[in-house]
Amino acid sequence: MDIFNIGSNLSTLKSSNKSLVLRVLNTLGQTSRSELSRITGLTKTTIKNIVNELLDSGLIYETGVVDSPSGRKPVLLNLSKDAFYSAGIYISRDFVYSNVINLKGEVKGEYRCNFEMTESEPAFISIVCECLQSAISISEIDINKIIGVGIASIGPLDIKNGIILDPPNFRGLKSIPIVSVINQRFKLPTFLDNDMNASAIAESLFGKGKNYSNLIYIGVTNGLGAGIIINNSLFRGSDGFGGEIGHTTIDIHGDICPCGNTGCLEIYASIPSVVKQVKSSIELGVESSLSDRKPIAWTDIVSAASNGDKVCLKALEKLVYYMSIGLVNVINIFDPEIVFIGHEIALAGSLIIKPLGDIVNKNILFRNSKSVKIEISSFREYAPCIGSGSIVLEKFFNGEIEK
Ligand SMILES: [Zn+2]
């Protein structure tokens, strides 16, 4: 039980100040020493020492001088984005995706493998390792320049012990010690987090979320979940289970959710719920451009809705309504500056985002004082892919791991 925050001795203080400077350069790009001092609140001497150390290690570089009307022309500094890299693995229900990204979150190589229906644990592990190996090979990055591996996975997870517990509809696979497997095979520090948290980190480090200290990422796919960033830090809860807004009850007389509770948000606001509604309208004889389509995929619904199909538009309208209930709840609790919507739902971006923002801002408690921005994630449906490697880079920029 850690009821006290840990104190900082001199070496941890130095390391966290160094990380703070790296983080500022990642967020703002070119910055002078005096600006760094002003933004971080560190003295000019401290900044000078940190900058010298970072220049020596090749993590930052001098980009040139700024034109200044009078006095000394300040030299600008920037992050050497290709000084080091991070590898990522995104484990979804149906496929595994792997990539190598640089310190700015730019993808240097990627690979994707589909899971077969009858995967055993050894076959699953071998596909995941093969996928990461292929992404590293394609990137042509020397493995010694990779700081670590971040695994973003569907849950439930035991984040502390690096285990994928027992995701629903996951071919019966359970209790997979994925972190130790990857760590032993690739000899790199390896970290596990859920795909929603990873996506929120990516948005905060490399997306439009850079400009906000308090943001919420909502991912809608087979289920619905959230990654919550408060004061620039991810909120994980006491055991890493925070952000499960998909399992908050929105209808006490509703259907039973696979989690055992009643009327959970994700029963009504998820991709399968939209597909189900379109199918049942068609079965009832309502005319639709998808009447003869079997099976009906999410992508079919998005393109039919874009072409004005009334059944699909109605299903999206209903999805927006249910999502708005979940969003109002979560906004009333956390008071974020902005909410980003990502994962598969991002494909329907322009069809949903405006009505969603309108309904939410009409219903939040503090509607008369402020409005909350609702936008599509900077990385759209790829948010968890960029998010996986970002798990490592978040620790790097927080000074929790060094190279
Ligand atoms: Zn539930």
Side-chain angles (χ1 to χ4, degrees):
M1 187 170 58
D2 302 320
I3 58 166
F4 299 110
N5 288 333
I6 295 166
S8 299
N9 56 42
L10 270 182
S11 67
T12 51
L13 252 188
K14 194 175 160 200
S15 152
S16 81
N17 286 341
K18 212 158 81 173
S19 308
L20 179 60
V21 169
L22 289 173
R23 193 158 183 145
V24 172
L25 290 174
N26 171 54
T27 305
L28 301 181
Q30 301 191 103
T31 311
S32 67
R33 287 171 176 81
S34 55
E35 271 294 279
L36 281 174
S37 164
R38 188 185 63 78
I39 294 163
T40 59
L42 297 170
T43 65
K44 287 192 173 164
T45 314
T46 307
I47 287 293
K48 190 179 151 212
N49 292 337
I50 289 175
V51 163
N52 285 344
E53 220 175 288
L54 292 172
L55 282 169
D56 286 346
S57 66
L59 268 168
I60 64 170
Y61 65 103
E62 294 183 330
T63 65
V65 292
V66 199
D67 268 340
S68 164
S70 60
R72 280 176 59 190
K73 294 179 174 177
V75 178
L76 295 178
L77 301 155
N78 208 346
L79 187 68
S80 304
K81 62 181 184 179
D82 290 299
F84 294 110
Y85 302 87
S86 160
I89 301 173
Y90 167 40
I91 295 171
S92 84
R93 214 168 302 279
D94 307 314
F95 65 89
V96 54
Y97 164 96
S98 224
N99 65 14
V100 176
I101 59 175
N102 67 12
L103 296 179
K104 284 271 183 192
E106 296 163 347
V107 177
K108 309 306 283 185
E110 56 190 338
Y111 200 75
R112 180 188 148 128
C113 303
N114 286 332
F115 293 135
E116 300 298 329
M117 285 312 290
T118 53
E119 222 73 72
S120 63
E121 184 174 320
F124 169 82
I125 284 169
S126 130
I127 287 184
V128 172
C129 290
E130 210 176 284
C131 190
L132 177 56
Q133 187 55 59
S134 301
I136 295 173
S137 305
I138 289 166
S139 73
E140 295 182 351
I141 302 293
D142 178 353
I143 198 160
N144 293 314
K145 293 195 93 181
I146 296 177
I147 306 170
V149 182
I151 305 169
S153 175
I154 52 167
L157 308 171
D158 176 348
I159 291 173
K160 282 183 184 166
N161 295 305
I163 295 168
I164 300 175
L165 294 173
D166 53 349
N169 308 317
F170 203 50
R171 298 162 204 83
L173 296 178
K174 55 174 94 167
S175 305
I176 306 164
I178 193 73
V179 164
S180 63
V181 166
I182 297 296
N183 175 259
Q184 277 164 26
R185 167 80 184 264
F186 292 89
K187 310 283 179 237
L188 288 167
T190 304
F191 308 95
L192 173 69
D193 213 325
N194 77 56
D195 53 333
M196 301 299 166
N197 285 350
S199 302
I201 292 170
E203 193 63 59
S204 160
L205 281 182
F206 306 118
K208 289 172 283 183
K210 267 182 177 187
N211 303 315
Y212 303 93
S213 307
N214 297 285
L215 69 88
I216 294 180
Y217 175 93
I218 304 278
V220 182
T221 172
N222 289 327
L224 184 154
I228 298 161
I229 305 263
I230 300 172
N231 293 334
N232 300 311
S233 295
L234 184 73
F235 171 77
R236 286 192 171 85
S238 54
D239 287 298
F241 297 122
E244 289 289 356
I245 67 157
H247 296 283
T248 51
T249 296
I250 62 163
D251 182 356
I252 56 168
H253 304 296
D255 297 339
I256 301 291
C257 178
C259 79
N261 273 338
T262 304
C264 288
L265 175 62
E266 75 170 36
I267 300 178
Y268 310 96
S270 59
I271 304 297
S273 73
V274 179
V275 175
K276 192 173 153 197
Q277 204 209 312
V278 168
K279 273 186 191 162
S280 65
S281 297
I282 289 172
E283 277 161 20
L284 287 171
V286 186
E287 202 179 310
S288 162
S289 57
L290 298 181
S291 294
D292 299 324
R293 186 72 54 98
K294 264 184 194 155
I296 295 173
W298 167 237
T299 45
D300 298 328
I301 294 173
V302 174
S303 56
S306 308
N307 292 325
D309 185 285
K310 290 208 169 67
V311 168
C312 296
L313 283 169
K314 187 86 196 155
L316 288 182
E317 199 182 303
K318 215 164 168 184
L319 170 75
V320 163
Y321 169 69
Y322 285 123
M323 278 183 72
S324 76
I325 295 172
L327 257 68
V328 168
N329 287 342
V330 83
I331 290 170
N332 282 347
I333 295 169
F334 291 102
D335 184 22
E337 298 157 88
I338 187 162
V339 177
F340 291 99
I341 309 291
H343 276 61
E344 272 178 286
I345 198 179
L347 289 168
S350 57
L351 293 165
I352 58 156
I353 209 71
K354 170 84 171 58
L356 184 60
D358 289 348
I359 303 175
V360 166
N361 279 300
K362 232 181 261 170
N363 293 310
I364 51 174
L365 183 64
F366 33 86
R367 56 188 168 273
N368 295 328
S369 321
K370 67 180 268 188
S371 68
V372 178
K373 296 189 193 82
I374 314 278
E375 292 186 11
I376 290 292
S377 151
S378 311
F379 304 106
R380 305 180 57 85
E381 62 273 29
Y382 302 105
C385 301
I386 304 297
S388 53
S390 305
I391 296 170
V392 178
L393 296 183
E394 189 222 14
K395 294 184 186 298
F396 177 71
F397 287 121
N398 282 343
E400 291 167 42
I401 49 172
E402 285 194 61
K403 185 72 186 175

